[in-house]
Amino acid sequence: MSETTPKLENDPKGALEQYIATLQSESKIARRQALIKINEEIFENPINVDCDLTVVFPEIYAYVLKCFSDASESCRENAILIMSNFIEKLPLNDYYLTYILPVIVRRIGSAETIEDSEEIRLILMGLVHKILDKYKGTNLLCPFMNDFTGILTKTCTDVFPKVKLEAFDCIIMLTKILQRDFHFQSESFVKPLLSNFTHQHFRVRVAAIKAIGGVVLAGNVKCFEMSITPLAEKLFDENIQVRLQVTIEVGNWMLMYKDRYSFWHRMIPLLLTSLSDVMADVRETATKLWDDIGLQYMEENEEDLKKKTDFLKDVPTHYPDVKRPNLGCRTLVQSNIGKIVPAIGREMDGWQADARLRCAQLLCWLLLCAEEGCTQHAGAVLAALHRGAADEDQRVVVEVKRASELFGYFITPDTWWPLLEAEMDSWSALFVVANILKGSRAELVKEKVMLELCKELADPDRCRVRKPKYQTNLLHVTEALMDLCKNDCNTVAEKLFIINFTVYAMPCDDKIQFMAISNLDKLRSIEGCGSTLTSLYEKHIGKVLADITSDASTWNLLTPDRCLLECVLLHSGSAMGTQLHLIAPLLKESLAPPKADPEVKLKIFTALSTVLLQRQTNFNKCNHYKLECFLKIVIDEVIVPNLVWSPGRTAEAIRTAAVACLCAVLQDNPAPEGPMTDDKNDLVEVNLFSSQEYLESFLEQIVPLLVSLTDDNSPLTRQHTMRAICCLSELAKNRGCFTVDILHRLYFVVLKRLDDSNDKVRSCAVQTLCKLFSCRPQYDTVVYSAHIDALYSALLVHLDDNDEIFQKEILGALIKLSDIDPKLLMKKIITNIHLYRNKTAYERLSSHIEKLLK
């Protein structure tokens, strides 16, 4: 048969005639075998190795290309293989493409894809790729630009990912092979490529981004404008490879895009955003690209930057602890920051937390690169910082904190303070100021801003705001100011004290109070006021008290003036001793009945009780005359008026508080407690009633009130009254003022309390009787036998009380009081022994008296 078959080169059609004829068979197996034989005969038969394929192709192409539409996939595949081999073997000539490309366009590049097999579409794309690769060094593809555009714009949206990837590679090749002509068709590629940005496979997204990068570099301006926003969105992609590819493409645009000088403000934000990526690979790539871009910009603008380059300084002395960007990077940002910052400000109001975070990070890099170049845009920068500081996402707040500090490094206080001065009512503005101060230079802040800032913050309308965020940031501002200016803060020490003490007096929570006390201690150290806060209070507490000017009758528990007064009473220690002339009127106004709020009165009475109990600490530096005047006001105009009975439960509670406060007054030299003072070891004895005359006049006034209070409705008031009588009797005895008349007036009402409905009051009454008679003056038992008889009779009756504990207390009291008139007591026991049930107690008492009489 080989003898009758003509040679391929001499008669290609005759040599392949039997196979060509079989291509018309209805059997797909026969057609497939015929195509296989054609391929083997042309490309694999050793006899035809040196055959001139330019002669074969014209005779065979029509039959093979027709098989591109064969119903059998395997036939189509083999037909494509034959054409692929022809492309590989044939010399470069657009003649062959004239027949092949239209068929490919018809199969996979038309409006409706005819080729329904994914595998065949992939093989066809392989053929397209081979054509591009074969003809890449020539101009022979120019006439087929429309064909390639149709094929690639259609296949890059194919449902089969592998076809997409092949199409993306071909598009990138096309941008390089047909650079001169590509821009005419470049816009056609953008939308199909962008549609792949949301594909579920990250490799497709990466390849699409790479392809769009090539299209923009080779295309017209509109391609850039259509692509930049979708590309920016891919910086939020969850896959690192996608973000890395975006970074690479944007960096390439900034290095190679022909119109890049018109779009710096669109590209810079994308690359700088990558500098803050969570993955090190992205950050490192972005850093390298950014550095190269800056160096290239310096080379391209060498003449314009010559002066700056000649006088280029080293890193400034006042500079954050980061690597300084090169001059090109700094100049680029300085030229474009005005176009970028307003957009950041708008994005900071967006609803996406991740977008706001990236904007805050971008702002940090812009400020670092722009340095003092952002001065003219300080207002826009501060507006963005202000919005970011109030963000609910703490990640954004952290970045805003860093950006504010960078802003402070490069922008002088005389620029930012006028812009923020009117915003001091906002806690977010305070947050920004506190962090700006951390980056500022002390020598610039202390000139004017420190004085004006402290004046604004010490205003009562600001420092008395009871809001957690406002208080916290107010304290942060004062802390930052003290850390920055240190000893220079002496000139505003009083303002700083007022701010921090006010917050300390009315904190929203314990953490804020701790911050305030820490700031006060820092101020004490700056002023060199000794080792404790008391010395700082001595210096400034008078100003705080002088500023309490509101009407006390309008106070409630949250009123700032009330909180300040209470804080002074409880925490100022010996410092308050020098300010009694200011404290006394305030106590008088706030506790004068019936105007003041009951809850306020209870709070202040409690604080006053504490002050009086800690008298050795609080009054040890006080002038004796001032202390006496203060005590007179406290007793005559504060305590006594509130002891007078008036109806209602509120009045009852206030009486209880007043009696408790009276107990504190009457205690004779209680042990020193409370906060330490500088001279705790040198405390002198503080006597509130140093003169006998004053105590005697006081007794005349207070005894009748105590007598009436023993019958008060409140058990707690009666209980405190018993304590007050005990303290009074001991104090009067020590001062030589305790008379028989006072004893008789008091013991009788106390005796009645043995029958009180409240067990604690009864117990207190027993103790009070013991104290009264143990403090008795010279006592004639014959003259006052009736009183003694009444005392013993009442006590003996209660030896048979139902409460065993109370029985024991009564027995103890009788044993203590038996020394008044033991004979009388013994007589009463013997006379009435048959009437009592508690024989054991009477026997024990009798035994004690017998020993006493002996």
Side-chain angles (χ1 to χ4, degrees), residues 654-675:
I654 292 171
R655 283 198 302 279
T656 303
V659 175
C661 192
L662 179 63
C663 291
V665 172
L666 295 175
Q667 285 192 40
D668 199 14
N669 294 325
E673 298 174 359

Side-chain angles (χ1 to χ4, degrees), residues 360-377:
Q361 292 170 336
L362 172 60
L363 190 56
C364 291
W365 285 108
L366 288 173
L367 292 171
L368 182 65
C369 294
E371 297 185 355
E372 65 278 357
C374 65
T375 299
Q376 61 182 331
H377 308 292

Side-chain angles (χ1 to χ4, degrees), residues 362 435 533 580 588 659 663 716 743 751 762 832 851:
L362 172 60
N435 290 288
L533 287 174
L580 295 180
K588 179 181 173 182
V659 175
C663 291
L716 193 56
L743 172 63
L751 207 59
R762 299 173 72 201
N832 300 302
K851 291 178 182 178

Side-chain angles (χ1 to χ4, degrees), residues 245-278:
Q245 194 62 47
V246 172
T247 304
I248 292 170
E249 297 309 321
V250 173
N252 289 338
W253 292 354
M254 295 178 76
L255 287 168
M256 294 181 284
Y257 185 51
K258 56 185 177 293
D259 290 325
R260 61 185 178 277
Y261 275 74
S262 301
F263 297 106
W264 287 126
H265 66 287
R266 303 286 298 276
M267 295 184 287
I268 287 173
L270 274 66
L271 192 62
L272 293 188
T273 298
S274 294
L275 291 173
S276 299
D277 197 274
V278 293

Side-chain angles (χ1 to χ4, degrees), residues 131-178:
I131 292 170
L132 289 170
D133 190 51
K134 174 88 173 182
Y135 287 81
K136 63 184 176 185
T138 70
N139 293 322
L140 298 176
L141 295 179
C142 295
F144 306 101
M145 184 65 204
N146 288 337
D147 291 334
F148 284 117
T149 300
I151 293 167
L152 297 177
T153 53
K154 184 64 178 177
T155 53
C156 73
T157 59
D158 198 281
V159 293
F160 189 31
K162 289 185 178 180
V163 174
K164 287 177 181 286
L165 294 174
E166 194 67 49
F168 297 153
D169 287 342
C170 291
I171 290 171
I172 294 170
M173 290 179 68
L174 195 65
T175 62
K176 296 174 181 177
I177 295 167
L178 299 177

Side-chain angles (χ1 to χ4, degrees), residues 270-336:
L270 274 66
L271 192 62
L272 293 188
T273 298
S274 294
L275 291 173
S276 299
D277 197 274
V278 293
M279 300 303 294
D281 288 349
V282 179
R283 294 197 302 271
E284 290 167 6
T285 302
T287 302
K288 177 68 169 60
L289 285 168
W290 182 230
D291 196 49
D292 291 344
I293 291 161
L295 294 174
Q296 179 178 293
Y297 185 83
M298 288 173 65
E299 291 175 9
E300 293 171 350
N301 299 272
E302 188 175 357
E303 289 299 319
D304 296 339
L305 299 176
K306 193 172 189 310
K307 287 185 179 180
K308 289 185 178 181
T309 308
D310 291 343
F311 298 98
L312 189 63
K313 298 186 295 184
D314 294 330
V315 177
T317 53
H318 185 72
Y319 195 81
D321 187 22
V322 292
K323 183 182 177 182
R324 192 184 193 194
N326 62 50
L327 178 61
C329 295
R330 301 201 302 273
T331 306
L332 261 175
V333 172
Q334 288 168 5
S335 304
N336 292 277

Side-chain angles (χ1 to χ4, degrees), residues 60 71 175 178 285 310 364 385 503 518 523 593 635 697 776 792 797:
I60 196 70
T175 62
L178 299 177
T285 302
D310 291 343
C364 291
L385 292 173
V503 175
S518 298
L523 181 61
I635 292 174
S697 63
R776 66 186 180 278
Y792 285 158
V797 168

